Amino acid sequence: MAIHLIPDAAVARYAAGPSDSTVSAVRSLHETVRSVLGTGYETFLQGSYRNNTGVADLNDVDIVAIRKNTTSSVFTNTNPTNPISWDAIFQEAQGLLEASHHYRGKTERGDKCITINTNFHADVVPAVQIGSIDTDPISIYSFREQQERKNFPRDHYQNNVTKQTSTGNTYKPTVRMMKRWVRNWFAGTKTAPSFYVECLVHWVPNENFSSDLALSFCMVASHIVQHVTSATYIGSVAGDKDILVAQEWDWNRFFIFQSQLARSVLDVANALQASNATEAQRLWRKAFNE
């Protein structure tokens, strides 16, 4: 039971995920893409939709498409028996999508994906196996970097499930609040990308999460403000890398994020101690730049 006067509706507004109807529409989109790509690809959702960590009006959908019977020679140090270039893989996948009346004229190739522009901004990420098709890591390709990269979408998903259970189902709504906070303060910038924000909240020890979600946000944010320095190791959700490094979330961008978060934590702390609901809501909304 909450011991503060921040209205439940004000907290729920920031903690909410996409509606059931939107989630259903995303599921339908994935099923259509799977059907269009056919039996030569194994597909699954990744990212905020699959992990249930996206904000209410999230419009970006990520779909991994693993080309069956195709294994990375880079990460297995083997000679491919039926070699195929990444350019050919992308051409094949995009050709299949363009051949469908659902997506004809609506696709474009990106750095690591094929983007479908419909009611959703859907990124189809071609991938190949490293080990079994059912296990991580998989290999994806960056045309900008001209190299393969390991990716761990299923490990990310499972570790999020574990964290959610370990925090009494408060981790994911806290992630959504943090992402909403980031969007309200840094919309249109690359200050705090969604993936890194999720990894950061996942790094926070379980005892900082609370069933009182306003308090949960305050404690998680306070821990980030007080305990992260440029030397801190912040692992990804999948556990495969440090995200607080120059080639990922560089310190200059993180420091801008952390500095604003420190100011917002003070507003949230004051909201939690406010003597009337009007003032509590005003300070809560101020913390979220509204």
mmCIF file of all heavy atoms in Angstrom, residues 232-261:
data_model
loop_
_atom_site.group_PDB
_atom_site.id
_atom_site.type_symbol
_atom_site.label_atom_id
_atom_site.label_comp_id
_atom_site.label_asym_id
_atom_site.label_seq_id
_atom_site.Cartn_x
_atom_site.Cartn_y
_atom_site.Cartn_z
ATOM 1 N N THR A 232 32.404 2.304 -13.821
ATOM 2 C CA THR A 232 31.461 1.249 -13.463
ATOM 3 C C THR A 232 31.202 0.317 -14.640
ATOM 4 O O THR A 232 31.006 0.782 -15.772
ATOM 5 C CB THR A 232 30.121 1.860 -12.996
ATOM 6 O OG1 THR A 232 30.368 2.770 -11.927
ATOM 7 C CG2 THR A 232 29.169 0.771 -12.514
ATOM 8 N N TYR A 233 31.185 -0.970 -14.358
ATOM 9 C CA TYR A 233 30.828 -1.948 -15.382
ATOM 10 C C TYR A 233 29.317 -2.118 -15.366
ATOM 11 O O TYR A 233 28.746 -2.536 -14.359
ATOM 12 C CB TYR A 233 31.511 -3.290 -15.125
ATOM 13 C CG TYR A 233 31.139 -4.363 -16.138
ATOM 14 C CD1 TYR A 233 31.898 -4.551 -17.284
ATOM 15 C CD2 TYR A 233 30.015 -5.173 -15.957
ATOM 16 C CE1 TYR A 233 31.564 -5.520 -18.231
ATOM 17 C CE2 TYR A 233 29.664 -6.147 -16.891
ATOM 18 C CZ TYR A 233 30.445 -6.305 -18.018
ATOM 19 O OH TYR A 233 30.099 -7.266 -18.945
ATOM 20 N N ILE A 234 28.674 -1.790 -16.476
ATOM 21 C CA ILE A 234 27.233 -1.987 -16.623
ATOM 22 C C ILE A 234 27.043 -3.039 -17.715
ATOM 23 O O ILE A 234 27.223 -2.751 -18.901
ATOM 24 C CB ILE A 234 26.492 -0.696 -17.018
ATOM 25 C CG1 ILE A 234 26.818 0.449 -16.062
ATOM 26 C CG2 ILE A 234 24.988 -0.950 -17.082
ATOM 27 C CD1 ILE A 234 26.285 0.267 -14.659
ATOM 28 N N GLY A 235 26.706 -4.239 -17.334
ATOM 29 C CA GLY A 235 26.543 -5.300 -18.312
ATOM 30 C C GLY A 235 25.236 -5.184 -19.059
ATOM 31 O O GLY A 235 24.251 -4.629 -18.564
ATOM 32 N N SER A 236 25.224 -5.687 -20.272
ATOM 33 C CA SER A 236 23.974 -5.772 -21.023
ATOM 34 C C SER A 236 23.047 -6.762 -20.338
ATOM 35 O O SER A 236 23.470 -7.553 -19.490
ATOM 36 C CB SER A 236 24.241 -6.226 -22.456
ATOM 37 O OG SER A 236 24.689 -7.573 -22.458
ATOM 38 N N VAL A 237 21.773 -6.732 -20.696
ATOM 39 C CA VAL A 237 20.827 -7.681 -20.116
ATOM 40 C C VAL A 237 21.243 -9.112 -20.426
ATOM 41 O O VAL A 237 21.148 -10.005 -19.585
ATOM 42 C CB VAL A 237 19.397 -7.413 -20.626
ATOM 43 C CG1 VAL A 237 18.428 -8.479 -20.109
ATOM 44 C CG2 VAL A 237 18.919 -6.031 -20.203
ATOM 45 N N ALA A 238 21.752 -9.340 -21.628
ATOM 46 C CA ALA A 238 22.203 -10.685 -22.013
ATOM 47 C C ALA A 238 23.510 -11.064 -21.361
ATOM 48 O O ALA A 238 23.880 -12.244 -21.336
ATOM 49 C CB ALA A 238 22.337 -10.772 -23.532
ATOM 50 N N GLY A 239 24.242 -10.069 -20.817
ATOM 51 C CA GLY A 239 25.495 -10.352 -20.140
ATOM 52 C C GLY A 239 26.690 -10.513 -21.057
ATOM 53 O O GLY A 239 27.738 -11.008 -20.638
ATOM 54 N N ASP A 240 26.569 -10.056 -22.301
ATOM 55 C CA ASP A 240 27.650 -10.296 -23.256
ATOM 56 C C ASP A 240 28.641 -9.155 -23.380
ATOM 57 O O ASP A 240 29.700 -9.323 -23.992
ATOM 58 C CB ASP A 240 27.052 -10.584 -24.638
ATOM 59 C CG ASP A 240 26.261 -9.395 -25.185
ATOM 60 O OD1 ASP A 240 25.287 -8.989 -24.514
ATOM 61 O OD2 ASP A 240 26.604 -8.887 -26.262
ATOM 62 N N LYS A 241 28.349 -7.976 -22.810
ATOM 63 C CA LYS A 241 29.259 -6.846 -22.990
ATOM 64 C C LYS A 241 28.991 -5.761 -21.960
ATOM 65 O O LYS A 241 27.954 -5.750 -21.287
ATOM 66 C CB LYS A 241 29.096 -6.264 -24.395
ATOM 67 C CG LYS A 241 27.687 -5.730 -24.681
ATOM 68 C CD LYS A 241 27.556 -5.254 -26.123
ATOM 69 C CE LYS A 241 26.123 -4.810 -26.437
ATOM 70 N NZ LYS A 241 25.989 -4.379 -27.849
ATOM 71 N N ASP A 242 29.958 -4.859 -21.860
ATOM 72 C CA ASP A 242 29.837 -3.653 -21.053
ATOM 73 C C ASP A 242 29.220 -2.577 -21.940
ATOM 74 O O ASP A 242 29.718 -2.313 -23.039
ATOM 75 C CB ASP A 242 31.226 -3.230 -20.572
ATOM 76 C CG ASP A 242 31.209 -2.012 -19.654
ATOM 77 O OD1 ASP A 242 30.130 -1.438 -19.418
ATOM 78 O OD2 ASP A 242 32.295 -1.633 -19.169
ATOM 79 N N ILE A 243 28.127 -1.961 -21.499
ATOM 80 C CA ILE A 243 27.485 -0.948 -22.334
ATOM 81 C C ILE A 243 28.013 0.461 -22.058
ATOM 82 O O ILE A 243 27.808 1.364 -22.860
ATOM 83 C CB ILE A 243 25.950 -0.958 -22.167
ATOM 84 C CG1 ILE A 243 25.557 -0.531 -20.742
ATOM 85 C CG2 ILE A 243 25.369 -2.306 -22.535
ATOM 86 C CD1 ILE A 243 24.130 -0.084 -20.609
ATOM 87 N N LEU A 244 28.707 0.663 -20.914
ATOM 88 C CA LEU A 244 29.162 2.007 -20.560
ATOM 89 C C LEU A 244 30.609 2.201 -21.035
ATOM 90 O O LEU A 244 31.532 2.402 -20.244
ATOM 91 C CB LEU A 244 29.043 2.236 -19.056
ATOM 92 C CG LEU A 244 29.051 3.702 -18.578
ATOM 93 C CD1 LEU A 244 27.901 4.477 -19.211
ATOM 94 C CD2 LEU A 244 28.967 3.782 -17.064
ATOM 95 N N VAL A 245 30.769 2.112 -22.343
ATOM 96 C CA VAL A 245 32.074 2.277 -22.976
ATOM 97 C C VAL A 245 31.912 3.157 -24.200
ATOM 98 O O VAL A 245 30.793 3.387 -24.682
ATOM 99 C CB VAL A 245 32.682 0.904 -23.380
ATOM 100 C CG1 VAL A 245 33.010 0.070 -22.153
ATOM 101 C CG2 VAL A 245 31.717 0.133 -24.291
ATOM 102 N N ALA A 246 33.042 3.635 -24.722
ATOM 103 C CA ALA A 246 33.002 4.630 -25.797
ATOM 104 C C ALA A 246 32.244 4.164 -27.022
ATOM 105 O O ALA A 246 31.513 4.936 -27.647
ATOM 106 C CB ALA A 246 34.433 5.024 -26.169
ATOM 107 N N GLN A 247 32.391 2.880 -27.376
ATOM 108 C CA GLN A 247 31.746 2.393 -28.591
ATOM 109 C C GLN A 247 30.276 2.029 -28.382
ATOM 110 O O GLN A 247 29.584 1.648 -29.339
ATOM 111 C CB GLN A 247 32.505 1.192 -29.167
ATOM 112 C CG GLN A 247 32.549 -0.027 -28.276
ATOM 113 C CD GLN A 247 33.751 -0.046 -27.343
ATOM 114 O OE1 GLN A 247 34.219 1.016 -26.917
ATOM 115 N NE2 GLN A 247 34.254 -1.228 -27.046
ATOM 116 N N GLU A 248 29.802 2.139 -27.139
ATOM 117 C CA GLU A 248 28.393 1.864 -26.852
ATOM 118 C C GLU A 248 27.734 3.138 -26.310
ATOM 119 O O GLU A 248 27.438 4.047 -27.069
ATOM 120 C CB GLU A 248 28.285 0.695 -25.852
ATOM 121 C CG GLU A 248 28.862 -0.625 -26.355
ATOM 122 C CD GLU A 248 27.962 -1.340 -27.346
ATOM 123 O OE1 GLU A 248 26.781 -0.970 -27.466
ATOM 124 O OE2 GLU A 248 28.442 -2.281 -28.005
ATOM 125 N N TRP A 249 27.522 3.215 -25.009
ATOM 126 C CA TRP A 249 26.953 4.405 -24.373
ATOM 127 C C TRP A 249 28.110 5.210 -23.806
ATOM 128 O O TRP A 249 28.567 4.936 -22.714
ATOM 129 C CB TRP A 249 25.969 3.996 -23.287
ATOM 130 C CG TRP A 249 25.015 5.072 -22.851
ATOM 131 C CD1 TRP A 249 24.930 6.352 -23.308
ATOM 132 C CD2 TRP A 249 23.984 4.943 -21.859
ATOM 133 N NE1 TRP A 249 23.912 7.032 -22.667
ATOM 134 C CE2 TRP A 249 23.317 6.183 -21.778
ATOM 135 C CE3 TRP A 249 23.572 3.892 -21.046
ATOM 136 C CZ2 TRP A 249 22.260 6.394 -20.889
ATOM 137 C CZ3 TRP A 249 22.514 4.108 -20.165
ATOM 138 C CH2 TRP A 249 21.867 5.341 -20.096
ATOM 139 N N ASP A 250 28.614 6.159 -24.550
ATOM 140 C CA ASP A 250 29.807 6.872 -24.112
ATOM 141 C C ASP A 250 29.500 7.746 -22.897
ATOM 142 O O ASP A 250 28.365 8.158 -22.664
ATOM 143 C CB ASP A 250 30.389 7.705 -25.256
ATOM 144 C CG ASP A 250 29.475 8.833 -25.680
ATOM 145 O OD1 ASP A 250 29.483 9.891 -25.024
ATOM 146 O OD2 ASP A 250 28.718 8.649 -26.659
ATOM 147 N N TRP A 251 30.541 8.030 -22.120
ATOM 148 C CA TRP A 251 30.367 8.697 -20.840
ATOM 149 C C TRP A 251 29.753 10.082 -20.986
ATOM 150 O O TRP A 251 28.962 10.512 -20.142
ATOM 151 C CB TRP A 251 31.694 8.785 -20.088
ATOM 152 C CG TRP A 251 31.552 9.507 -18.789
ATOM 153 C CD1 TRP A 251 32.019 10.741 -18.463
ATOM 154 C CD2 TRP A 251 30.825 9.055 -17.632
ATOM 155 N NE1 TRP A 251 31.650 11.082 -17.183
ATOM 156 C CE2 TRP A 251 30.917 10.061 -16.646
ATOM 157 C CE3 TRP A 251 30.122 7.878 -17.342
ATOM 158 C CZ2 TRP A 251 30.329 9.933 -15.390
ATOM 159 C CZ3 TRP A 251 29.531 7.753 -16.087
ATOM 160 C CH2 TRP A 251 29.634 8.772 -15.126
ATOM 161 N N ASN A 252 30.091 10.822 -22.026
ATOM 162 C CA ASN A 252 29.541 12.172 -22.179
ATOM 163 C C ASN A 252 28.022 12.142 -22.278
ATOM 164 O O ASN A 252 27.335 12.949 -21.638
ATOM 165 C CB ASN A 252 30.129 12.845 -23.427
ATOM 166 C CG ASN A 252 31.584 13.199 -23.254
ATOM 167 O OD1 ASN A 252 32.044 13.418 -22.136
ATOM 168 N ND2 ASN A 252 32.324 13.256 -24.350
ATOM 169 N N ARG A 253 27.486 11.223 -23.068
ATOM 170 C CA ARG A 253 26.030 11.110 -23.176
ATOM 171 C C ARG A 253 25.429 10.597 -21.875
ATOM 172 O O ARG A 253 24.383 11.084 -21.430
ATOM 173 C CB ARG A 253 25.649 10.195 -24.340
ATOM 174 C CG ARG A 253 25.874 10.795 -25.713
ATOM 175 C CD ARG A 253 25.328 9.892 -26.800
ATOM 176 N NE ARG A 253 26.021 8.620 -26.841
ATOM 177 C CZ ARG A 253 25.516 7.484 -27.315
ATOM 178 N NH1 ARG A 253 24.278 7.460 -27.782
ATOM 179 N NH2 ARG A 253 26.220 6.375 -27.332
ATOM 180 N N PHE A 254 26.091 9.610 -21.276
ATOM 181 C CA PHE A 254 25.568 9.084 -20.014
ATOM 182 C C PHE A 254 25.540 10.164 -18.940
ATOM 183 O O PHE A 254 24.588 10.248 -18.154
ATOM 184 C CB PHE A 254 26.397 7.892 -19.531
ATOM 185 C CG PHE A 254 25.877 7.317 -18.238
ATOM 186 C CD1 PHE A 254 24.856 6.370 -18.255
ATOM 187 C CD2 PHE A 254 26.353 7.758 -17.011
ATOM 188 C CE1 PHE A 254 24.336 5.877 -17.071
ATOM 189 C CE2 PHE A 254 25.841 7.262 -15.820
ATOM 190 C CZ PHE A 254 24.834 6.315 -15.855
ATOM 191 N N PHE A 255 26.574 10.997 -18.890
ATOM 192 C CA PHE A 255 26.650 12.021 -17.849
ATOM 193 C C PHE A 255 25.510 13.022 -17.988
ATOM 194 O O PHE A 255 24.948 13.483 -16.983
ATOM 195 C CB PHE A 255 28.000 12.734 -17.912
ATOM 196 C CG PHE A 255 28.181 13.747 -16.829
ATOM 197 C CD1 PHE A 255 28.394 13.355 -15.507
ATOM 198 C CD2 PHE A 255 28.123 15.111 -17.106
ATOM 199 C CE1 PHE A 255 28.549 14.291 -14.492
ATOM 200 C CE2 PHE A 255 28.273 16.056 -16.106
ATOM 201 C CZ PHE A 255 28.494 15.646 -14.787
ATOM 202 N N ILE A 256 25.146 13.376 -19.226
ATOM 203 C CA ILE A 256 23.993 14.260 -19.437
ATOM 204 C C ILE A 256 22.731 13.604 -18.888
ATOM 205 O O ILE A 256 21.931 14.241 -18.182
ATOM 206 C CB ILE A 256 23.843 14.576 -20.939
ATOM 207 C CG1 ILE A 256 25.013 15.410 -21.434
ATOM 208 C CG2 ILE A 256 22.514 15.296 -21.207
ATOM 209 C CD1 ILE A 256 25.070 15.572 -22.938
ATOM 210 N N PHE A 257 22.553 12.327 -19.207
ATOM 211 C CA PHE A 257 21.416 11.555 -18.693
ATOM 212 C C PHE A 257 21.429 11.519 -17.170
ATOM 213 O O PHE A 257 20.418 11.809 -16.509
ATOM 214 C CB PHE A 257 21.492 10.133 -19.268
ATOM 215 C CG PHE A 257 20.735 9.088 -18.497
ATOM 216 C CD1 PHE A 257 19.386 8.868 -18.735
ATOM 217 C CD2 PHE A 257 21.380 8.301 -17.543
ATOM 218 C CE1 PHE A 257 18.689 7.888 -18.021
ATOM 219 C CE2 PHE A 257 20.696 7.325 -16.842
ATOM 220 C CZ PHE A 257 19.345 7.126 -17.073
ATOM 221 N N GLN A 258 22.559 11.173 -16.575
ATOM 222 C CA GLN A 258 22.650 11.022 -15.122
ATOM 223 C C GLN A 258 22.430 12.349 -14.396
ATOM 224 O O GLN A 258 21.786 12.393 -13.338
ATOM 225 C CB GLN A 258 24.011 10.439 -14.757
ATOM 226 C CG GLN A 258 24.163 10.066 -13.291
ATOM 227 C CD GLN A 258 25.576 9.623 -12.966
ATOM 228 O OE1 GLN A 258 26.543 10.292 -13.335
ATOM 229 N NE2 GLN A 258 25.718 8.484 -12.302
ATOM 230 N N SER A 259 22.948 13.421 -14.959
ATOM 231 C CA SER A 259 22.809 14.736 -14.317
ATOM 232 C C SER A 259 21.349 15.169 -14.249
ATOM 233 O O SER A 259 20.884 15.683 -13.217
ATOM 234 C CB SER A 259 23.638 15.780 -15.069
ATOM 235 O OG SER A 259 25.015 15.453 -15.028
ATOM 236 N N GLN A 260 20.618 14.973 -15.349
ATOM 237 C CA GLN A 260 19.197 15.318 -15.321
ATOM 238 C C GLN A 260 18.433 14.379 -14.397
ATOM 239 O O GLN A 260 17.503 14.801 -13.692
ATOM 240 C CB GLN A 260 18.609 15.269 -16.723
ATOM 241 C CG GLN A 260 17.130 15.646 -16.783
ATOM 242 C CD GLN A 260 16.850 17.001 -16.156
ATOM 243 O OE1 GLN A 260 17.400 18.010 -16.590
ATOM 244 N NE2 GLN A 260 15.996 17.036 -15.135
ATOM 245 N N LEU A 261 18.816 13.113 -14.382
ATOM 246 C CA LEU A 261 18.150 12.158 -13.499
ATOM 247 C C LEU A 261 18.332 12.557 -12.045
ATOM 248 O O LEU A 261 17.404 12.428 -11.233
ATOM 249 C CB LEU A 261 18.701 10.750 -13.740
ATOM 250 C CG LEU A 261 17.962 9.606 -13.043
ATOM 251 C CD1 LEU A 261 16.507 9.519 -13.510
ATOM 252 C CD2 LEU A 261 18.666 8.271 -13.308
#
